[in-house]
Amino acid sequence: MSRRRKISATLQQQVRQRALFLCEYCHASEQWQYVRFTVDHVVPLALGGDQSLDNLALACFHCNRRKADSLVALDPHSLEQTPLFSPRQHRWSDHFAWSADGLRILGLTATGRATVAALALNRERIIGIRAADQIAGRHPPPQDPIQPDAP
Ligand SMILES: [Zn+2]
């Protein structure tokens, strides 16, 4: 955070539009929040990341804070250090899907599982918000995969 320079309004707008105004980690929609989402450095400045569009992602305050300066986290299945989801290198739908009830993000890969755990993508508070958003017909995002219930 200490070496952060101001990201221009134009660049911020490019980041928002590319993300479809969703947090690129938990897929919360910025549209329904009281405050705007933050612009995350995918590779933190402290670890040599830069301030170009290729290293920026839209992130809600919570995801940005949880991610902090990490690039890896523990996969809860293998207990091995695994790269976190990178919105610039990975496709969300390759690593995550919504549970059949639309309330929980399932990690489909080691990276997906590690990111769900490290960023607490299924924290209790957000599940309540997702449930309310679902009733309002604005969750989950229409382009996201939903995992059918296991038979
Ligand atoms: Zn988020």
Side-chain angles (χ1 to χ4, degrees):
M1 299 281 274
S2 56
R3 287 193 290 146
R4 180 188 300 268
R5 283 171 292 126
K6 190 155 170 50
I7 300 171
S8 75
T10 310
L11 194 53
Q12 288 194 38
Q13 193 56 23
Q14 287 174 307
V15 169
R16 294 199 142 76
Q17 284 174 348
R18 179 179 60 187
L20 305 176
F21 304 91
L22 300 178
C23 169
E24 295 192 62
Y25 298 96
C26 73
H27 271 192
S29 172
E30 186 182 48
Q31 192 178 353
W32 315 114
Q33 314 295 320
Y34 286 108
V35 292
R36 295 194 109 188
F37 286 168
T38 58
V39 174
D40 166 55
H41 295 83
V42 178
V43 177
L45 294 174
L47 299 179
D50 64 20
Q51 206 132 260
S52 71
L53 193 57
D54 286 343
N55 189 45
L56 298 176
L58 192 62
C60 72
F61 179 77
H62 184 278
C63 287
N64 200 341
R65 195 181 45 147
R66 291 289 299 225
K67 179 172 165 282
D69 278 353
S70 34
L71 288 172
V72 296
L74 216 57
D75 168 13
H77 285 203
S78 68
L79 301 179
E80 283 176 14
Q81 291 287 331
T82 307
L84 283 172
F85 175 71
S86 162
R88 296 289 70 83
Q89 288 179 356
H90 305 134
R91 212 163 39 159
W92 198 91
S93 56
D94 288 342
H95 294 276
F96 307 105
W98 291 101
S99 58
D101 64 6
L103 299 183
R104 291 178 175 275
I105 294 177
L106 309 173
L108 305 179
T109 61
T111 285
R113 290 188 300 265
T115 305
V116 167
L119 272 58
L121 297 184
N122 293 317
R123 53 200 180 271
E124 206 172 310
R125 188 176 156 74
I126 202 174
I127 286 180
I129 293 170
R130 287 171 188 158
D133 280 347
Q134 200 169 36
I135 291 167
R138 58 194 197 196
H139 176 82
Q143 71 276 15
D144 284 0
I146 296 174
Q147 185 101 317
D149 271 328

Short mmCIF file of all heavy atoms in Angstrom, two decimals, residues 23-28 37 58-64 119 121 123 126, ligand 1:
data_model
loop_
_atom_site.label_atom_id
_atom_site.label_comp_id
_atom_site.label_asym_id
_atom_site.label_seq_id
_atom_site.Cartn_x
_atom_site.Cartn_y
_atom_site.Cartn_z
N CYS A 23 -16.87 -7.67 -8.34
CA CYS A 23 -15.60 -8.01 -7.68
C CYS A 23 -15.07 -9.23 -8.42
O CYS A 23 -15.78 -10.22 -8.59
CB CYS A 23 -15.82 -8.33 -6.20
SG CYS A 23 -14.35 -9.06 -5.43
N GLU A 24 -13.82 -9.17 -8.88
CA GLU A 24 -13.32 -10.25 -9.73
C GLU A 24 -12.98 -11.51 -8.93
O GLU A 24 -12.61 -12.52 -9.51
CB GLU A 24 -12.12 -9.76 -10.55
CG GLU A 24 -12.57 -8.65 -11.53
CD GLU A 24 -11.53 -8.30 -12.58
OE1 GLU A 24 -11.17 -9.18 -13.38
OE2 GLU A 24 -11.09 -7.13 -12.58
N TYR A 25 -13.12 -11.45 -7.61
CA TYR A 25 -12.90 -12.63 -6.77
C TYR A 25 -14.23 -13.22 -6.32
O TYR A 25 -14.55 -14.36 -6.66
CB TYR A 25 -12.01 -12.27 -5.58
CG TYR A 25 -10.66 -11.79 -6.02
CD1 TYR A 25 -10.38 -10.42 -6.14
CD2 TYR A 25 -9.66 -12.69 -6.36
CE1 TYR A 25 -9.14 -9.98 -6.58
CE2 TYR A 25 -8.41 -12.26 -6.79
CZ TYR A 25 -8.15 -10.90 -6.90
OH TYR A 25 -6.93 -10.46 -7.35
N CYS A 26 -15.04 -12.47 -5.58
CA CYS A 26 -16.28 -13.04 -5.02
C CYS A 26 -17.50 -12.79 -5.91
O CYS A 26 -18.58 -13.28 -5.61
CB CYS A 26 -16.53 -12.50 -3.61
SG CYS A 26 -17.08 -10.78 -3.56
N HIS A 27 -17.32 -12.04 -6.99
CA HIS A 27 -18.39 -11.74 -7.95
C HIS A 27 -19.58 -11.01 -7.34
O HIS A 27 -20.69 -11.10 -7.86
CB HIS A 27 -18.83 -13.01 -8.72
CG HIS A 27 -18.03 -13.21 -9.96
ND1 HIS A 27 -18.37 -14.10 -10.95
CD2 HIS A 27 -16.88 -12.59 -10.39
CE1 HIS A 27 -17.46 -14.03 -11.93
NE2 HIS A 27 -16.55 -13.16 -11.61
N ALA A 28 -19.34 -10.29 -6.24
CA ALA A 28 -20.37 -9.35 -5.77
C ALA A 28 -20.48 -8.22 -6.79
O ALA A 28 -19.49 -7.87 -7.44
CB ALA A 28 -19.98 -8.79 -4.40
N PHE A 37 -16.09 -0.25 -5.31
CA PHE A 37 -15.08 -1.25 -5.05
C PHE A 37 -13.69 -0.65 -5.25
O PHE A 37 -13.53 0.43 -5.82
CB PHE A 37 -15.27 -2.45 -5.98
CG PHE A 37 -16.43 -3.33 -5.61
CD1 PHE A 37 -16.88 -4.30 -6.49
CD2 PHE A 37 -17.06 -3.21 -4.38
CE1 PHE A 37 -17.94 -5.14 -6.15
CE2 PHE A 37 -18.11 -4.04 -4.04
CZ PHE A 37 -18.56 -5.01 -4.93
N LEU A 58 -10.78 -5.39 -10.35
CA LEU A 58 -11.77 -4.79 -9.47
C LEU A 58 -12.00 -5.75 -8.30
O LEU A 58 -12.19 -6.96 -8.51
CB LEU A 58 -13.07 -4.56 -10.24
CG LEU A 58 -14.10 -3.67 -9.53
CD1 LEU A 58 -13.57 -2.27 -9.28
CD2 LEU A 58 -15.40 -3.59 -10.34
N ALA A 59 -11.94 -5.25 -7.09
CA ALA A 59 -12.11 -6.11 -5.92
C ALA A 59 -12.92 -5.37 -4.86
O ALA A 59 -12.70 -4.18 -4.63
CB ALA A 59 -10.75 -6.50 -5.33
N CYS A 60 -13.84 -6.06 -4.23
CA CYS A 60 -14.55 -5.45 -3.12
C CYS A 60 -13.56 -5.23 -1.98
O CYS A 60 -12.48 -5.83 -1.95
CB CYS A 60 -15.74 -6.31 -2.68
SG CYS A 60 -15.31 -7.84 -1.81
N PHE A 61 -13.92 -4.38 -1.07
CA PHE A 61 -13.01 -4.01 0.01
C PHE A 61 -12.55 -5.26 0.78
O PHE A 61 -11.38 -5.43 1.08
CB PHE A 61 -13.72 -3.04 0.95
CG PHE A 61 -12.86 -2.63 2.12
CD1 PHE A 61 -11.85 -1.69 1.94
CD2 PHE A 61 -13.06 -3.18 3.37
CE1 PHE A 61 -11.05 -1.32 3.01
CE2 PHE A 61 -12.26 -2.81 4.44
CZ PHE A 61 -11.25 -1.88 4.26
N HIS A 62 -13.50 -6.16 1.05
CA HIS A 62 -13.17 -7.34 1.84
C HIS A 62 -12.18 -8.25 1.12
O HIS A 62 -11.19 -8.70 1.70
CB HIS A 62 -14.45 -8.11 2.19
CG HIS A 62 -14.19 -9.27 3.08
ND1 HIS A 62 -13.76 -10.48 2.60
CD2 HIS A 62 -14.28 -9.41 4.42
CE1 HIS A 62 -13.61 -11.32 3.61
NE2 HIS A 62 -13.92 -10.70 4.72
N CYS A 63 -12.44 -8.55 -0.14
CA CYS A 63 -11.53 -9.43 -0.88
C CYS A 63 -10.15 -8.79 -1.01
O CYS A 63 -9.13 -9.46 -0.86
CB CYS A 63 -12.09 -9.75 -2.27
SG CYS A 63 -13.48 -10.91 -2.22
N ASN A 64 -10.12 -7.50 -1.27
CA ASN A 64 -8.84 -6.81 -1.41
C ASN A 64 -8.05 -6.90 -0.10
O ASN A 64 -6.86 -7.22 -0.08
CB ASN A 64 -9.08 -5.35 -1.79
CG ASN A 64 -7.84 -4.71 -2.42
OD1 ASN A 64 -6.74 -5.20 -2.28
ND2 ASN A 64 -8.04 -3.60 -3.12
N LEU A 119 -9.57 -15.97 0.94
CA LEU A 119 -10.33 -14.73 0.84
C LEU A 119 -11.68 -14.84 1.55
O LEU A 119 -12.47 -13.89 1.53
CB LEU A 119 -10.53 -14.33 -0.63
CG LEU A 119 -9.40 -13.47 -1.23
CD1 LEU A 119 -8.06 -14.15 -1.15
CD2 LEU A 119 -9.70 -13.09 -2.68
N LEU A 121 -14.43 -16.44 0.81
CA LEU A 121 -15.46 -16.06 -0.16
C LEU A 121 -16.86 -16.51 0.25
O LEU A 121 -17.84 -16.09 -0.35
CB LEU A 121 -15.11 -16.61 -1.55
CG LEU A 121 -13.81 -16.09 -2.17
CD1 LEU A 121 -13.64 -16.63 -3.59
CD2 LEU A 121 -13.77 -14.56 -2.19
N ARG A 123 -17.99 -16.24 3.53
CA ARG A 123 -18.20 -15.76 4.89
C ARG A 123 -19.70 -15.58 5.14
O ARG A 123 -20.47 -15.29 4.22
CB ARG A 123 -17.43 -14.47 5.13
CG ARG A 123 -17.72 -13.39 4.10
CD ARG A 123 -16.60 -12.36 4.09
NE ARG A 123 -16.83 -11.29 3.11
CZ ARG A 123 -16.43 -11.37 1.84
NH1 ARG A 123 -15.82 -12.44 1.38
NH2 ARG A 123 -16.65 -10.36 1.02
N ILE A 126 -21.71 -12.48 3.86
CA ILE A 126 -21.95 -12.34 2.41
C ILE A 126 -22.99 -13.35 1.95
O ILE A 126 -23.73 -13.10 1.00
CB ILE A 126 -20.64 -12.44 1.60
CG1 ILE A 126 -20.82 -11.76 0.23
CG2 ILE A 126 -20.19 -13.85 1.41
CD1 ILE A 126 -19.56 -11.67 -0.59
ZN ZN B 1 -15.09 -9.62 -3.35
#
